[in-house]
């Protein structure tokens, strides 16, 4: 059974709290992911009924969200030191932290972000659909769950697992 080792998770928390002084790369990644995810959320809070069957908006929102989440995850994977990108796992494994716990830590952060985005977009879709369109559809809850939780989590997590396993 795969379990979460609280001690290793605590060590990772401490490592990332100390290493927030990474400089421009760390904060630039946050700013870029924040801007991209904000644009995505503006698109996803519009009720599905406004799209009228045009799924290009969903595709654009999904691509933007994947880009934003990739920028968000990048700060947990790479560290720029003396002009050279280094894998954070290569540094953290000396702490000692297993590869599995390292991946669990990043997936937990990613899942928390996905749940927040899904909750906000679903709540806004329901409120806006009822307030302005006087109609409610199951798609007002299903579209945010698929576009903000399921697909981004699966695609970003698979990319993350591929990146960490290739180190």
């Amino acid at each position: 059974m795969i379990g979460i080792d609280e001690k290793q998770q605590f060590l990772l928390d401490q490592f990332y709290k100390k290493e927030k002084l990474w400089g421009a790369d760390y904060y630039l990644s946050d700013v870029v992911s924040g801007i991209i995810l904000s644009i995505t959320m503006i698109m996803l809070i519009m009720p599905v009924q406004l799209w009228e069957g045009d799924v290009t908006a969903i595709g654009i929102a999904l691509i933007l969200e994947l880009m934003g989440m990739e920028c968000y995850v990048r700060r947990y994977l790479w560290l720029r030191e003396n002009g050279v990108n280094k894998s954070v796992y290569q540094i953290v494994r000396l702490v000692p932290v297993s590869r599995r716990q390292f991946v669990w830590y990043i997936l937990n952060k990613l899942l928390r972000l996905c749940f927040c985005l899904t909750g906000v977009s679903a709540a806004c879709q329901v409120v806006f659909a009822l307030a302005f369109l006087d109609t409610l559809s199951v798609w007002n809850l299903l579209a945010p769950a698929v576009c903000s939780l399921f697909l981004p989590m699966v695609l970003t997590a698979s990319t993350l697992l591929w990146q960490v396993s290739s180190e």
Side-chain angles (χ1 to χ4, degrees), residues 2-151:
I2 300 173
I4 295 176
D5 185 0
E6 295 298 325
K7 182 181 177 190
Q8 290 184 18
Q9 297 295 314
F10 178 74
L11 289 172
L12 283 168
D13 273 336
Q14 295 303 314
F15 174 78
Y16 282 113
K17 283 180 186 173
K18 276 192 230 175
E19 296 300 323
K20 278 192 178 177
L21 302 175
W22 291 348
D25 292 338
Y26 184 80
Y27 293 108
L28 183 64
S29 176
D30 275 355
V31 169
V32 169
S33 68
I35 290 170
I36 293 172
L37 290 175
S38 297
I39 293 168
T40 303
M41 287 308 295
I42 289 171
M43 293 176 71
L44 288 177
I45 62 173
M46 294 185 297
V48 176
Q49 292 88 340
L50 293 178
W51 299 341
E52 296 178 358
D54 186 19
V55 294
T56 56
I58 295 173
I60 292 169
L62 184 60
I63 290 170
L64 284 173
E65 189 163 14
L66 289 173
M67 287 172 42
M69 288 188 181
E70 191 67 31
C71 287
Y72 178 77
V73 168
R74 185 178 306 138
R75 71 181 183 157
Y76 293 108
L77 291 175
W78 299 101
L79 168 67
R80 189 166 181 89
E81 205 172 71
N82 298 329
V84 178
N85 284 338
K86 292 185 178 181
S87 170
V88 173
Y89 178 70
Q90 298 300 326
I91 299 167
V92 172
R93 70 183 175 146
L94 302 173
V95 174
V97 172
S98 69
R99 187 182 305 261
R100 178 179 291 156
Q101 295 303 318
F102 180 67
V103 170
W104 274 113
Y105 181 81
I106 298 172
L107 286 178
N108 186 21
K109 297 289 185 184
L110 184 64
L111 187 62
R112 187 176 303 155
L113 176 66
C114 286
F115 274 133
C116 289
L117 294 176
T118 302
V120 168
S121 63
C124 288
Q125 279 223 14
V126 168
V127 168
F128 292 158
L130 288 176
F132 299 115
L133 301 174
D134 295 327
T135 182
L136 187 62
S137 170
V138 69
W139 290 104
N140 291 116
L141 295 175
L142 194 58
V146 169
C147 292
S148 294
L149 180 65
F150 181 70
L151 285 177

